[in-house]
Amino acid sequence: MVAEAILDAYGEDEQCAAFQTVIEDCLALPFTTVVLGVTVTVTSIQDRPGSRITALCRHDRHTQAIGILDLPPPNPAPEGWAWVEAYRYWAS
């Protein structure tokens, strides 16, 4: 999956952008997960300067951007979550 995501990307920044594109295209949104004991709904995936790929998380009327690698795996995992795990592997 890593090789597929970064096929035409050169350098770390382009490879990260390639992962963001494939995650945005393949990850089923919205989905829920638990962050610090609070159930949140992930509504979108964004690129924020200095933060790499982030998930926009909502709880009630509050919204917070959290690094996608900082999200605990949702249970059950949404369709396309394997791309997040491939990104985690690449980033480590």
Side-chain angles (χ1 to χ4, degrees):
M1 290 179 85
V2 171
E4 183 179 341
I6 64 172
L7 180 64
D8 293 325
Y10 301 97
E12 190 174 319
D13 289 339
E14 283 187 23
Q15 291 174 358
C16 186
F19 265 109
Q20 178 175 342
T21 298
V22 76
I23 289 170
E24 286 177 339
D25 290 348
C26 297
L27 184 60
L29 296 172
F31 66 87
T32 60
T33 191
V34 177
V35 176
L36 297 174
V38 176
T39 300
V40 299
T41 300
V42 176
T43 59
S44 66
I45 303 299
Q46 301 178 339
D47 179 28
R48 295 210 166 184
S51 300
R52 298 283 177 153
I53 302 171
T54 59
L56 193 60
C57 302
R58 171 166 277 154
H59 175 75
D60 294 331
R61 57 188 168 99
H62 303 286
T63 302
Q64 177 71 43
I66 298 175
I68 198 159
L69 297 181
D70 295 327
L71 284 181
N75 187 14
E79 183 177 331
W81 184 259
W83 287 107
V84 176
E85 293 303 327
Y87 174 58
R88 184 181 312 280
Y89 176 81
W90 172 84
S92 64

